[in-house]
Amino acid sequence: MTLYIKDSPLIIQYMNRNFALLMLSLLLLSSCGEIKRNLTDYVNPFLGTATLWEPEDLGYTRKIKARTWGGETFPGATLPNAMVQLSPVTQFRSGAGYQYEDTVIYGFSHTNKGHWNLLHVPMLPIVGMVSPSDYCSMYSHDNESARPGYYQVFLERYKVNAELTSTLRCAYHRYTFRKEDAKSLLMDIRRSNNHVKEWNIKKADTNVFTGYQSGDGKIYFYAKSNYPVDDVKTVKDDKHEVAIVGFSNSKGIEPLELKIGFSFVSVENAKMNLEKEMIGKNFAQVSKEANDTWEKLLSKIQVEGGTEREKGLFYSCLYHAFKWSALRSDVNGDYTDVRNEVVNNSFNYYTNPSFWDDYRNKLILLGMISPDVTVDVIKSIIDKGEKQGGYMPTFFHGDHASTFISGTWLRGIQNFDLERAYKLILKNATIPGRGGHRYLDEYLERGWIAEKDTTNVPTQDEYKGTVTKTVEYAYDDYAVALVAKILGDEENYKTLMERSNNYKTLFDPSTGFWRGKIDNGSWIKDFDPYYPYYQYMYREANAWQSLFFAPHDPKGMIDLYPSHEAVEAKLDSLFTEPWRGYEVDNMTGFIGNYCHGNQPDHSVPYTYYFIGKQEKTQCILDSIMDHYYDMGADKLAYCGMDDTGEMSSWYVFNAIGLYTYSPADPEYLITVPLFDKITFDLHGKPFTITKNGKGRKIKDITYGNEKVNGYFISHDRLKEGRELVITTD
C-alpha cells in the first residue's frame, strides 16, 4: 500500500477502499482453505528496465560516460501485441524511453518497442504555468507501481497521482490532483523518439480534443475528457514548443480522466476504436479486463515447483515476450499500408518482427501461444513484401523471415498463403536487389562475402559483417529449401540445400574459428578472436561468439574439427577464456567470452549435445538462468537488451526444458527444466513436462511412456498432449 500524498483524505479513502477489498478477497479465499495466486501477480513489469553499472555485472570497468544498453523493456500498461503501449518517458532517445535509474518523468507516451523509436504523443498532467523547456516532474520508485495492464506513479512537482491502463487501441489516463488545483495537460506533440515531421492538435467538441503526430508512422488520436475542454494552445520558448490543454471548472476531488482512441488511419477511425473498446467502461473495469487478458495468456504455461523467484522471472519473461509485434489495424480492419494507402484485407495488420533477434525463439513461442496473431503477422509481412518490390521484409542485419515462414507452417499453423510467402522469400535468397540479401551477388558467385582488407578497425565502425552474413544466409537457404520441398519445387530445393553448406566456406581450420576473407580469397590477416566488432567480419560479436552456427547441420559443423575432443576443448575455452575488458555498450553479461547480453551466440551452449556432453550444456544454462535475468543493485536488469522478447523467450523455453535450436524445423531440443512440472496448453490440447531427479545429466527421456531416442522431440508429438518425462542423474 503506497501513500501518494501525505495525509490526503482523498488518497487515504481510495487506499482504504482498495485495502478493504483486498482483505475481503483474502478472507474469502482463506475460508476456502487455500489462497491461489494469480499468475499476473508474479509479473514484474520493471524487470529489464534497469541498467548495469558495476564491473562484476558488466564484465569490464566502465571508462566512457554513456550508459551501457539495458534490457530496454518498459513498465507501462499494454495488452499482448497491442497498438497502444502507455508508458512513462524518463528520457527521449533511449531504448524504451524509461530507465529505472532516472529521476524525472517527461510524460506518458502511447507506443513503444524498446528499440529507440516510437514514443508517440507524450503527455503529462500539470498544474500552473510551465516552461516548454522545463516541465518534467521528479518521481520516486517508492510511489510507483505496475502490474500487467496498469501503471501508477506520483508526480512530485505537480502533486498528481497518475494511473494508466489500456485496451488494444486505446489509452485510459486517470490523474488525481489536489482539490485546490486547476487541471491541465501538457502534450509534447513535437517530440518522440523519432523526428516529428508534422503535428496537429485542436479542440473538437465540448469534452474532446483530437490531432495527429507523424514520425515512424502517422498516428491519429481522439481524446475524450470527463471535464469540458476549455482551450488548446501552444506555448513556445527559444528552445521548444508544446501544447497545453486546459479544462473548465476543473478544481475538486474528481480525477481528470482521459479516454483516448488511436489509429494509424484517421481521427475518425481513432474515434471508432474508442467507441468500440472503451466508451462506457470505467477505469477499474478496463484495468481488470487488461489483467484478465494477461492472465489468460500466461495460463497457457503453468509451472509447479521451483522457487518464488524462478516463477517471478519465468512469468515476467513470458509477459515481456508478448509485447511485439504491435497491432496497426483498426477495429474495422482498416490500416495504412507501405504505399501509404488505406486498405482493408480482413486481417489484423502488425508491425514487422525484429527478425535478426527474435527468429531464434520468440516467433516460435508466439505461434505456440497465439497462433492467430502469428498468422496475421505473416499475412502482414506478405502484404508489405508484395508492395515493396517483391522482397520479403528484412530487419537490421539479417533476413530470417524464411525461418519464421517454414517453422510456422511445419508446426501446423497454415492459415496463410504459403505460395505467396514462398515467392517473396525465394526472391530474397536468389535475386540481388535493394530489398533482399545485401551483397547477395557475392554470395551467389562464390558462396561467401568478402570483407575489406584493413587493420586496426575500431569496434564501432560499420563494414559488411561478412562472416555473420555468410553463415546466416546459409541457414536462410536451408529454411527456404524446406518451403520449396513442401511446394514441390525440386530444382530450387536442391540448389538451396547445396547452398546451405556455405557456412563452411569461412571456417579456418588453422584457428578453429569462422574468419573473414578478402576479395582474393585469402584470410583477413589482422585477426584477433577476442576483439569485438559491430560489423567487421562479425555483427556485434567477436570470433569466439561467432562459433558453431549451423543449426540445420550440427553434424557437419562438428566434422569441421578433427575430433569431438577438439570441439570440446574449443567450447571449454569459449566459456573460460576471460573477456579482455573491451567496453562495448551492447555486449555485457559474460561467461568467459560467451556473451549472453547479445544474441549472436545464444545457440552455442547447446553444441555440447552433439559431442556427447549434454551435462556441460546444462551447467551453462543453469548458470545463465540463475544469474543473468535479475542483475544489478535493484535486481531489475537483464544482462543485455531484450530485443522485443528474444532474451525473455530464451529464458521461457529453457525454464520449461525445451529449446528451438533450429527454429526452421518443427522440433525442440530437450533440456533439464527449472520446474518439477509444466503444463503447456498447445492450441487447446495440453502436454506436460515432468522432471525426475535433481541432476544436470539427462539419463532418460520418455513421451507418453515411450522412450525418446536422442534429445529432440517433434512439435507434432507434443500436439498429442502426452507427458514428457525427463529423468536426470
Side-chain angles (χ1 to χ4, degrees):
M1 190 166 58
T2 303
L3 188 60
Y4 306 128
I5 307 173
K6 186 177 180 181
D7 299 329
S8 167
L10 173 64
I11 301 300
I12 291 173
Q13 179 184 2
Y14 171 79
M15 291 162 52
N16 287 344
R17 183 173 66 248
N18 284 275
F19 182 70
L21 289 172
L22 175 62
M23 291 298 101
L24 178 60
S25 298
L26 292 174
L27 181 62
L28 289 172
L29 287 169
S30 62
S31 67
C32 298
E34 180 181 356
I35 299 176
K36 185 176 181 181
R37 191 173 178 185
N38 290 332
L39 299 181
T40 51
D41 294 339
Y42 286 106
V43 174
N44 184 353
F46 293 102
L47 187 67
T49 64
T51 302
L52 295 176
W53 298 96
E54 299 303 321
E56 56 268 26
D57 292 327
L58 290 168
Y60 54 81
T61 299
R62 297 179 70 252
K63 299 181 182 68
I64 59 177
K65 292 183 179 180
R67 69 178 181 88
T68 57
W69 295 1
E72 312 307 332
T73 63
F74 62 89
T78 190
L79 293 184
N81 303 108
M83 179 184 292
V84 167
Q85 297 85 34
L86 179 53
S87 193
V89 179
T90 62
Q91 59 174 292
F92 289 95
R93 298 303 305 155
S94 68
Y98 179 94
Q99 306 297 330
Y100 192 78
E101 62 270 18
D102 289 344
T103 58
V104 298
I105 288 177
Y106 287 87
F108 306 108
S109 63
H110 296 84
T111 61
N112 206 308
K113 183 184 179 183
H115 219 282
W116 288 272
N117 57 353
L118 302 179
L119 303 191
H120 284 111
V121 194
M123 56 181 63
L124 188 75
I126 62 170
V127 174
M129 296 298 296
V130 297
S131 164
S133 299
D134 178 19
Y135 62 81
C136 62
S137 173
M138 296 283 289
Y139 77 104
S140 168
H141 295 306
D142 292 335
N143 284 326
E144 181 186 37
S145 62
R147 61 177 183 268
Y150 174 86
Y151 173 83
Q152 169 275 323
V153 68
F154 180 66
L155 302 173
E156 296 174 359
R157 177 172 179 173
Y158 304 109
K159 303 298 186 288
V160 174
N161 187 54
E163 297 175 278
L164 313 173
T165 189
S166 63
T167 61
L168 283 173
R169 302 171 181 88
C170 305
Y172 200 143
H173 301 242
R174 180 165 68 182
Y175 301 131
T176 302
F177 292 70
R178 294 179 299 188
K179 65 180 180 180
E180 65 269 24
D181 290 333
K183 302 169 178 62
S184 297
L185 185 74
L186 183 146
M187 299 185 64
D188 202 344
I189 197 70
R190 298 193 63 177
R191 184 178 289 169
S192 74
N193 259 1
N194 301 95
H195 174 65
V196 176
K197 300 174 183 177
E198 59 175 329
W199 59 272
N200 177 266
I201 180 172
K202 64 181 181 180
K203 178 180 176 179
D205 205 343
T206 304
N207 291 67
V208 175
F209 59 95
T210 64
Y212 61 81
Q213 184 190 61
S214 70
D216 201 352
K218 190 173 184 179
I219 189 169
Y220 300 86
F221 60 89
Y222 180 94
K224 187 161 186 165
S225 166
N226 62 329
Y227 284 93
V229 176
D230 184 16
D231 58 10
V232 178
K233 58 186 179 182
T234 59
V235 180
K236 68 170 86 173
D237 58 19
D238 58 348
K239 295 180 180 179
H240 196 50
E241 181 179 15
V242 298
I244 305 290
V245 181
F247 301 94
S248 302
N249 303 316
S250 63
K251 292 182 179 181
I253 64 172
E254 185 68 22
L256 170 64
E257 295 193 350
L258 301 171
K259 298 179 180 180
I260 312 174
F262 290 89
S263 168
F264 284 83
V265 173
S266 66
V267 169
E268 292 74 24
N269 276 26
K271 179 183 179 182
M272 174 185 62
N273 291 338
L274 182 64
E275 291 175 341
K276 180 69 174 179
E277 293 185 358
M278 192 174 283
I279 292 298
K281 297 179 181 180
N282 60 34
F283 188 93
Q285 182 180 357
V286 174
S287 178
K288 181 181 183 305
E289 289 176 356
N291 187 81
D292 290 347
T293 297
W294 280 112
E295 183 73 18
K296 182 178 179 181
L297 184 146
L298 298 174
S299 67
K300 295 287 186 179
I301 309 178
Q302 300 196 39
V303 300
E304 300 175 31
T307 66
E308 291 297 288
R309 170 178 172 258
E310 288 168 342
K311 289 176 182 176
L313 290 174
F314 177 79
Y315 284 111
S316 296
C317 285
L318 185 57
Y319 165 79
H320 281 316
F322 281 83
K323 293 178 174 180
W324 196 265
S325 296
L327 184 65
R328 286 294 180 263
S329 54
D330 297 323
V331 292
N332 65 347
D334 287 354
Y335 63 91
T336 300
D337 68 10
V338 292
R339 295 175 177 170
N340 207 33
E341 297 174 350
V342 177
V343 295
N344 191 315
N345 285 312
S346 300
F347 62 84
N348 286 323
Y349 190 69
Y350 287 93
T351 56
N352 292 341
S354 297
F355 284 119
W356 192 61
D357 307 307
D358 58 17
Y359 83 95
R360 307 165 196 269
N361 47 41
K362 180 260 183 71
L363 292 176
I364 301 306
L365 183 63
L366 180 69
M368 297 173 81
I369 299 291
S370 302
D372 292 343
V373 173
T374 300
V375 166
D376 284 345
V377 170
I378 291 175
K379 289 180 178 179
S380 300
I381 60 176
I382 291 172
D383 181 81
K384 293 168 191 174
E386 291 177 341
K387 293 175 179 177
Q388 55 185 21
Y391 291 98
M392 183 64 84
T394 61
F395 172 76
F396 190 53
H397 169 83
D399 187 354
H400 308 313
S402 54
T403 301
F404 182 33
I405 297 298
S406 61
T408 299
W409 186 273
L410 289 169
R411 284 172 171 82
I413 303 171
Q414 300 177 351
N415 190 26
F416 62 92
D417 192 325
L418 185 63
E419 291 189 7
R420 288 172 63 196
Y422 175 61
K423 185 177 180 180
L424 297 172
I425 60 176
L426 182 64
K427 187 172 181 178
N428 279 33
T430 59
I431 301 178
R434 294 186 64 184
H437 291 172
R438 296 190 68 190
Y439 316 114
L440 181 62
D441 51 347
E442 289 186 51
Y443 179 79
L444 294 177
E445 179 183 351
R446 56 197 176 194
W448 52 276
I449 303 166
E451 192 61 274
K452 182 178 181 180
D453 187 14
T454 187
T455 59
N456 299 319
V457 175
T459 289
Q460 298 196 24
D461 277 16
E462 294 278 351
Y463 286 85
K464 293 162 71 175
T466 56
V467 176
T468 304
K469 280 187 172 65
T470 297
V471 299
E472 290 185 353
Y473 287 1
Y475 186 58
D476 289 330
D477 287 338
Y478 172 77
V480 180
L482 293 179
V483 182
K485 185 175 183 179
I486 295 168
L487 295 175
D489 184 354
E490 287 297 322
E491 181 178 354
N492 277 312
Y493 170 72
K494 291 178 181 178
T495 299
L496 290 162
M497 284 300 291
E498 290 174 3
R499 278 171 39 186
S500 73
N501 286 309
N502 284 343
Y503 73 89
K504 301 175 182 179
T505 60
L506 294 183
F507 178 74
D508 174 15
S510 70
T511 63
F513 290 101
W514 276 258
R515 180 176 177 183
K517 291 179 179 179
I518 62 175
D519 195 62
N520 67 10
S522 60
W523 297 114
I524 295 282
K525 292 181 181 178
D526 188 19
F527 177 70
D528 177 358
Y530 296 92
Y531 191 82
Y533 299 100
Y534 275 116
Q535 198 166 203
Y536 184 67
M537 294 190 283
Y538 315 103
R539 181 77 232 194
E540 298 182 10
N542 64 14
W544 282 107
Q545 292 144 15
S546 303
L547 286 168
F548 301 113
F549 183 84
H552 57 302
D553 186 24
K555 183 181 184 303
M557 176 182 70
I558 295 300
D559 287 345
L560 293 173
Y561 291 83
S563 65
H564 282 190
E565 290 75 18
V567 173
E568 183 177 8
K570 199 72 172 181
L571 283 166
D572 289 349
S573 295
L574 166 65
F575 295 109
T576 56
E577 280 289 319
W579 182 249
R580 297 305 199 255
Y582 297 112
E583 186 172 7
V584 185
D585 58 14
N586 64 337
M587 293 174 67
T588 53
F590 300 97
I591 302 177
N593 262 260
Y594 172 82
C595 176
H596 197 68
N598 210 352
Q599 281 73 25
D601 55 357
H602 275 191
S603 63
V604 174
Y606 308 95
T607 308
Y608 282 116
Y609 270 77
F610 307 107
I611 59 170
K613 299 290 183 177
Q614 166 272 322
E615 67 276 14
K616 284 194 170 185
T617 291
Q618 196 60 50
C619 181
I620 300 297
L621 303 184
D622 288 346
S623 180
I624 294 169
M625 287 188 284
D626 191 38
H627 295 102
Y628 290 83
Y629 280 83
D630 57 352
M631 303 178 74
D634 297 295
K635 299 298 181 184
L636 293 175
Y638 279 7
C639 62
M641 187 175 172
D642 195 26
D643 279 310
T644 70
E646 189 279 341
M647 189 79 72
S648 294
S649 298
W650 189 99
Y651 187 97
V652 168
F653 272 119
N654 284 285
I656 66 172
L658 302 172
Y659 193 67
T660 52
Y661 182 75
S662 175
D665 291 298
E667 62 182 9
Y668 308 90
L669 185 63
I670 298 170
T671 65
V672 180
L674 279 182
F675 304 103
D676 297 331
K677 183 177 181 181
I678 300 100
T679 303
F680 197 128
D681 183 353
L682 187 61
H683 307 168
K685 192 164 187 178
F687 68 88
T688 60
I689 302 171
T690 300
K691 178 177 66 173
N692 284 338
K694 302 294 184 181
R696 287 176 169 150
K697 185 176 178 61
I698 296 176
K699 182 173 67 175
D700 184 61
I701 304 172
T702 61
Y703 187 67
N705 294 319
E706 297 178 4
K707 183 176 178 58
V708 175
N709 295 317
Y711 293 106
F712 285 92
I713 188 165
S714 72
H715 187 83
D716 281 346
R717 292 207 70 188
L718 294 181
K719 288 196 295 186
E720 295 171 3
R722 301 177 185 272
E723 181 184 23
L724 177 67
V725 180
I726 303 165
T727 302
T728 68
D729 277 339

